[in-house]
């Protein structure tokens, strides 16, 4: 079955540091890949997505590239801010008739300090 | 921007009782989902629903669980005979289609506490 593996957290960085959160996946077929973010006390918000190999998703300074050869979708940001502190979830979907469930990683908590 | 809304934000229920969690998906969406997140753990798929039928369900979604779209706007998750291990955050989500590139839109969740 499908699975997503993320690096464990928490990850603690100083403001303006470079961020990488690793994500690898196992899936049949050609899944779409997503990063969701969960701020404290809130629900899941889509951060970015990529739907085919070599696609790069980007949003709010975050980027991730769909690497089929390494089955990876690592999240990066060049300069983090305190406001980026949240839990980040890597997820994949494999559409099937009548449904399109998401398979999530365990989430990585990011703490950004001044 | 349209949102998925969930009520209540926090539900406390005695073990063995029934609970209903409510969701209002985005109005032109056709596919609906429930997920749960036990504290500190990953988000897990429970069920998907389309055209008034369950499309797919996980092992977690046993016969104590049911879903319903009672009218044109609400989508509910009912849990009968609740157990302590049902305590979790429950998220509702919706999409317009089931194309794999379509992101799911999530509500803010209902925190369910079973005592």
């Amino acid at each position: 079955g499908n699975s997503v593996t993320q690096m464990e957290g928490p990850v603690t960085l100083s403001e303006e540091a470079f961020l990488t959160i690793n994500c690898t996946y196992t899936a049949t077929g050609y899944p779409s890949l997503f990063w969701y973010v969960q701020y404290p006390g809130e629900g899941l918000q889509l951060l970015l997505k990529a739907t085919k190999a070599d696609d790069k998703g980007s949003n709010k300074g975050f980027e991730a590239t769909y690497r089929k050869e390494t089955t990876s979708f690592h999240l990066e940001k060049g300069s983090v801010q305190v406001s980026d502190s949240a839990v980040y979830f890597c997820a994949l979907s494999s559409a099937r008739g009548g449904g399109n469930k998401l398979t999530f990683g365990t989430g990585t908590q990011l703490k950004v300090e001044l | 921007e349209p949102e998925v809304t969930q009520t209540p934000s926090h539900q406390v229920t005695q073990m063995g009782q029934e609970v209903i969690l409510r969701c209002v998906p985005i109005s032109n969406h056709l596919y609906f989902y429930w997920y749960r997140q036990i504290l500190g753990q990953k988000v897990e798929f429970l069920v998907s629903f389309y055209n008034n039928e369950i499309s797919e369900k996980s092992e977690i979604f046993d016969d104590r669980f049911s879903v319903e779209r009672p009218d044109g706007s609400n989508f509910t998750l009912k849990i009968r005979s609740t157990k302590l291990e049902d305590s979790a955050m429950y998220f509702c989500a919706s999409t317009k289609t089931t194309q794999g590139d379509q992101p799911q839109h999530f509500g803010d969740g209902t925190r369910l506490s079973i005592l």
Side-chain angles (χ1 to χ4, degrees):
Chain A
N2 296 339
S3 67
V4 176
T5 302
Q6 279 181 247
M7 64 186 288
E8 293 199 11
V11 173
T12 303
L13 296 174
S14 298
E15 202 170 41
E16 300 184 359
F18 183 85
L19 168 71
T20 300
I21 300 178
N22 290 336
C23 171
T24 57
Y25 67 90
T26 302
T28 54
Y30 301 93
S32 293
L33 302 174
F34 305 87
W35 277 99
Y36 281 84
V37 59
Q38 184 179 33
Y39 297 102
E42 298 184 14
L44 296 161
Q45 300 175 25
L46 176 70
L47 181 59
L48 54 84
K49 69 176 186 180
T51 59
K52 61 183 186 297
D54 300 325
D55 266 4
K56 178 186 284 187
S58 61
N59 186 26
K60 299 181 181 179
F62 290 89
E63 294 183 339
T65 301
Y66 190 143
R67 301 285 188 200
K68 193 170 187 300
E69 64 277 12
T70 54
T71 61
S72 65
F73 192 55
H74 305 322
L75 182 68
E76 296 182 337
K77 186 175 186 182
S79 176
V80 294
Q81 306 299 312
V82 172
S83 57
D84 293 326
S85 298
V87 181
Y88 293 81
F89 291 91
C90 185
L92 68 83
S93 74
S94 288
R96 18 180 308 177
N100 184 20
K101 71 177 184 183
L102 287 171
T103 300
F104 286 89
T106 52
T108 302
Q109 184 175 16
L110 171 65
K111 297 179 182 177
V112 181
E113 301 173 334
L114 290 171
Chain B
E1 184 175 327
E3 292 182 342
V4 175
T5 57
Q6 290 186 241
T7 55
S9 56
H10 190 191
Q11 174 76 47
V12 181
T13 301
Q14 292 290 325
M15 184 174 60
Q17 298 298 304
E18 174 183 289
V19 64
I20 297 176
L21 309 183
R22 303 181 190 280
C23 169
V24 178
I26 294 173
S27 62
N28 63 347
H29 285 189
L30 301 176
Y31 299 85
F32 314 113
Y33 309 83
W34 284 101
Y35 294 81
R36 80 170 186 189
Q37 182 183 28
I38 295 173
L39 186 64
Q41 299 186 23
K42 68 167 65 176
V43 178
E44 302 172 289
F45 169 78
L46 291 178
V47 65
S48 59
F49 189 86
Y50 168 68
N51 199 26
N52 281 321
E53 291 185 346
I54 290 174
S55 304
E56 186 177 0
K57 60 183 180 179
S58 71
E59 293 177 352
I60 303 168
F61 196 89
D62 63 30
D63 56 8
R64 300 181 300 113
F65 290 77
S66 61
V67 288
E68 189 178 37
R69 188 155 163 82
D71 53 41
S73 60
N74 289 285
F75 177 52
T76 62
L77 173 68
K78 181 189 292 186
I79 310 174
R80 296 183 293 106
S81 304
T82 50
K83 303 177 180 180
L84 294 175
E85 53 264 39
D86 294 330
S87 296
M89 181 74 87
Y90 288 80
F91 292 106
C92 174
S94 68
T95 54
K96 193 181 297 187
T97 74
T98 57
Q99 290 180 332
D101 63 344
Q102 293 299 305
Q104 295 182 16
H105 297 259
F106 285 81
D108 284 345
T110 294
R111 180 169 299 284
L112 177 62
S113 300
I114 306 298
L115 304 179

